[in-house]
Amino acid sequence: MTVLVTGGAGYIGSHTVRALVAQGRDVVVLDSLELGHKSRVGNVPFVEGNISDAKIIDKVCRKFEVSEVIHFAAYKAVGESMEQPLRYYNNNVAGTIALVRALMANGVEKIVFSSSAAVYGNPDHVPVTEDAPLRPESVYAETKAIVEKFLSSCESIGLRSVSLRYFNAAGASADATIGEDWSMSQNLVPLVMKALLGFSGPLNVFGNDYPTPDGTCTRDYIHVEDLAAAHIKALDYLNGGGKTLACNVGTGIATSVLEVISIAEQVSGQKVPHIISSRRAGDPVSVFADPTLARALLGWKANHDLRDIIGSAWKWHSSSAK
Ligand code: WQD
């Protein structure tokens, strides 16, 4: 029985494929390679295609005897999503609906969905619990919240799902053979690495006048390998008969921008060139997880600390930068 991983040639997808294979699971990857890199997939069975192509889904389900799915394939650039709502809704929402229709036609009724803490928007309280109101503030986040609702509604026709709300994914594989493609990211950690390695000018620190200990925003940075492990725990939960669920995947620890910079300087032995610039519109002061539910229901918790995260990112980017 095989796990279909859509978007398995992507950043988090490829780390999850590695973890599944390491556990001896049979895997097949479907990826359009619009954003993913086939080199990340190694010799795992791979099909190039789009999640909305029912003929391909039918073929993959039959040929590989797919029993369950981890669904990563989506567009995820927050800023871009505001300029291209049609493209984001078509791919992230309509594409997922077409995917689920084809999966269910093939008797596949278990799916782990790559959601995001971005569905909370700017939370009233931190740490954020899963019963916090969903107030997405970008088209990207809206598409994640809508797919969560869609999957939950499909429980009435037999589909069971776990929506994993990622906080700030970062880091790379321990052996530095796969990691984030910084050309496709505006997130803090890859941008810190770019500044460290001289591939960009100084990092802009978006404001240091927030009501936090050092004045910079805090986030919950989670190691990509901890994220990968959470997906496997979610599959196990569904295979154990678990009901549809949405849960946070974070460490429960709030880390500031300047703390990330400080750890990066320690692991690299170099200064991170940076300047304090104006606040970025829409940035919440602080967003970090209450990870209790994932621990209680999935038996999952993060094992890597910030130094592991930043150290693995440094090892990856300093060895692969071009
Ligand atoms: C983190 C902190 C910035 C860049 C992301 C996206 C999305 C989601 C995770 C999946 C903030 C500061 C950043 C820079 C900076 N992933 N920063 N200078 O804003 O938490 O949002 O959450 O769904 O990727 O929604 O992540 O990495 O952009 O910013 O000072 O050049 O770093 O102000 O405080 P964010 P981020």
Side-chain angles (χ1 to χ4, degrees):
M1 304 302 265
T2 302
V3 183
L4 166 62
V5 181
T6 74
Y11 171 42
I12 300 168
S14 56
H15 286 80
T16 304
V17 168
R18 285 247 180 129
L20 286 163
V21 169
Q23 274 215 347
R25 299 296 304 268
D26 292 323
V27 179
V28 57
V29 171
L30 172 72
D31 200 300
S32 67
L33 296 182
E34 244 187 304
L35 302 173
H37 299 285
K38 186 156 181 323
S39 58
R40 288 172 167 154
V41 179
N43 55 13
V44 172
F46 175 82
V47 175
E48 183 175 350
N50 198 294
I51 54 173
S52 60
D53 187 332
K55 285 195 174 63
I56 287 184
I57 303 301
D58 289 345
K59 196 174 112 194
V60 169
C61 286
R62 284 197 301 273
K63 180 177 178 185
F64 294 94
E65 293 183 68
V66 170
S67 54
E68 52 221 292
V69 181
I70 302 180
H71 177 33
F72 291 101
Y75 297 147
K76 72 165 192 88
V78 172
E80 181 186 65
S81 77
M82 302 307 282
E83 295 150 15
Q84 302 178 24
L86 179 60
R87 182 165 169 262
Y88 269 67
Y89 270 93
N90 187 56
N91 188 60
N92 293 6
V93 178
T96 300
I97 294 169
L99 170 70
V100 168
R101 185 189 297 118
L103 290 172
M104 296 198 76
N106 285 279
V108 180
E109 301 186 334
K110 290 172 285 188
I111 184 167
V112 177
F113 172 57
S114 163
S115 188
S116 167
V119 300
Y120 296 118
N122 188 347
D124 295 330
H125 306 288
V126 284
V128 191
T129 55
E130 286 81 358
D131 56 1
L134 302 192
R135 293 188 308 222
E137 294 182 352
S138 69
V139 165
Y140 159 77
E142 284 172 4
T143 67
K144 290 298 184 181
I146 288 169
V147 168
E148 281 193 20
K149 293 285 289 170
F150 161 67
L151 293 174
S152 172
S153 300
C154 288
E155 187 163 40
S156 64
I157 54 173
L159 182 80
R160 288 182 297 114
S161 61
V162 175
S163 290
L164 297 177
R165 294 173 180 167
Y166 307 161
F167 283 68
N168 291 56
S173 64
D175 63 5
T177 52
I178 53 174
E180 193 166 5
D181 176 351
W182 66 19
S183 70
M184 294 184 183
S185 176
Q186 286 306 306
N187 292 132
L188 178 66
V189 172
L191 291 178
V192 165
M193 296 297 145
K194 254 187 185 171
L196 258 179
L197 289 161
F199 281 78
S200 74
L203 173 85
N204 285 304
V205 174
F206 294 140
N208 68 345
D209 57 350
Y210 286 96
T212 62
D214 65 17
T216 62
C217 293
T218 64
R219 295 290 185 273
D220 186 330
Y221 297 95
I222 171 108
H223 198 294
V224 64
E225 288 188 332
D226 278 331
L227 263 184
H231 292 78
I232 296 179
K233 288 286 189 183
L235 284 181
D236 294 344
Y237 164 83
L238 290 174
N239 283 316
K243 286 167 54 61
T244 289
L245 168 72
C247 66
N248 293 335
V249 185
T251 65
I253 298 166
T255 298
S256 76
V257 177
L258 290 180
E259 285 172 320
V260 168
I261 290 173
S262 169
I263 295 288
E265 293 181 339
Q266 291 170 39
V267 300
S268 66
Q270 298 170 206
K271 283 288 178 198
V272 175
H274 63 281
I275 53 174
I276 304 297
S277 57
S278 52
R279 292 183 174 192
R280 179 172 68 174
D283 264 339
V285 183
S286 177
V287 183
F288 61 99
D290 178 330
T292 306
L293 200 62
R295 176 108 190 231
L297 294 185
L298 305 185
W300 172 90
K301 73 173 184 64
N303 293 314
H304 293 285
D305 63 13
L306 186 66
R307 182 173 290 274
D308 293 339
I309 295 170
I310 306 294
S312 65
W314 171 246
K315 212 171 143 197
W316 160 250
H317 288 292
S318 55
S319 63
S320 64
K322 46 186 178 299

